[in-house]
Amino acid sequence: GESVGLHLPTLSVQEGDNSIINCAYSNSASDYFIWYKQESGKGPQFIIDIRSNMDKRQGQRVTVLLNKTVKHLSLQIAATQPGDSAVYFCAENYGGATNKLIFGTGTLLAVQP
Amino acid sequence: DAMVIQNPRYQVTQFGKPVTLSCSQTLNHNVMYWYQQKSSQAPKLLFHYYDKDFNNEADTPDNFQSRRPNTSFCFLDIRSPGLGDAAMYLCATSRVPDEQFFGPGTRLTVL
């Protein structure tokens, strides 16, 4: 069968609170970053992206911050809802023209009602 | 709606018995990717097609092959599945330089 997986870092928050999920990326030459949400048994779903010429980008209830100096990315979710419960992956584009991605290890967000 | 479709959603095969997973897209994207994702791990890129050009990742085992007969379809062939190949297999597409869109995945079980 399948090999035993790692235990994902977990962030537990109360419904209505803000969530911050952090990610360290590896390649200083990466110029494009994406956050994906993956619910159990489903494929990753695009949330928000940011290019290296920006420090911050906002979407609906989500904000991504990019700190190139320390190679750090964060995802902020405002007013977290039970439907936000999922695994969140950051990904960096290391493939240039072919948009190849390296995914971070993932964080499990558990929203408590 | 335009989307990435994977069939079957669940596949059971026997140790050593070849299996083919299918991916199709209605997005008309020029790049298609195959990922392997094991439990509680991040997706790992196996290979991708940029138009008709095949690009294999250096650490992808020879046991894994792929075919892209046209823009819409891409197949993942596992020639001799081992127990360690049991995983979720994800197909994704993109129109460079935009984000990748993922299919729902195929859960492969090897008995």
Side-chain angles (χ1 to χ4, degrees):
Chain A
E2 194 172 318
S3 60
V4 175
L6 304 171
H7 289 289
L8 287 169
T10 299
L11 174 65
S12 185
V13 300
Q14 291 294 126
E15 181 178 359
D17 287 351
N18 297 333
S19 303
I20 300 176
I21 300 172
N22 296 303
C23 176
Y25 64 92
S26 56
N27 188 347
S28 57
S30 294
D31 59 1
Y32 180 50
F33 305 87
I34 310 172
W35 279 100
Y36 284 96
K37 171 187 180 183
Q38 188 173 26
E39 296 174 280
S40 181
K42 297 183 179 180
Q45 176 188 358
F46 172 85
I47 301 174
I48 191 168
D49 58 1
I50 189 168
R51 298 196 183 272
S52 57
N53 60 350
M54 302 174 69
D55 297 322
K56 179 180 180 179
R57 191 160 188 231
Q58 288 185 291
Q60 187 176 13
R61 280 202 308 119
V62 294
T63 301
V64 55
L65 299 177
L66 174 62
N67 185 330
K68 295 180 287 292
T69 302
V70 296
K71 295 190 288 186
H72 183 267
L73 199 65
S74 69
L75 176 70
Q76 300 177 3
I77 304 174
T80 312
Q81 303 168 0
D84 295 326
S85 295
V87 177
Y88 289 79
F89 290 100
C90 67
E92 60 181 299
N93 175 359
Y94 76 102
T98 59
N99 204 21
K100 293 200 301 183
L101 298 177
I102 288 181
F103 281 78
T105 53
T107 297
L108 174 61
L109 177 65
V111 182
Q112 309 301 322
Chain B
D1 289 342
M3 58 176 57
V4 181
I5 302 163
Q6 291 189 244
N7 285 303
R9 294 293 314 277
Y10 301 90
Q11 175 73 59
V12 179
T13 190
Q14 292 179 331
F15 182 95
K17 184 174 182 181
V19 65
T20 294
L21 309 182
S22 170
C23 177
S24 64
Q25 54 133 339
T26 60
L27 297 160
N28 202 32
H29 285 170
N30 56 339
V31 191
M32 295 186 77
Y33 312 80
W34 278 105
Y35 291 84
Q36 179 191 65
Q37 185 177 28
K38 296 191 175 181
S39 179
S40 298
Q41 296 184 26
K44 180 179 181 298
L45 182 64
L46 295 173
F47 26 58
H48 73 280
Y49 272 94
Y50 191 108
D51 294 322
K52 295 182 180 180
D53 294 331
F54 176 72
N55 297 272
N56 200 32
E57 293 301 296
D59 56 355
T60 298
D62 292 340
N63 197 27
F64 293 87
Q65 304 286 321
S66 186
R67 296 170 284 133
R68 189 179 187 186
N70 54 52
T71 300
S72 300
F73 284 87
C74 196
F75 300 98
L76 169 62
D77 301 308
I78 308 177
R79 295 192 298 187
S80 182
L83 299 180
D85 296 328
M88 175 77 88
Y89 289 89
L90 296 163
C91 174
T93 74
S94 78
R95 177 166 293 282
V96 178
D98 298 329
E99 73 272 19
Q100 293 185 21
F101 289 85
F102 283 82
T106 295
R107 170 73 65 187
L108 178 68
T109 300
V110 182
L111 301 178

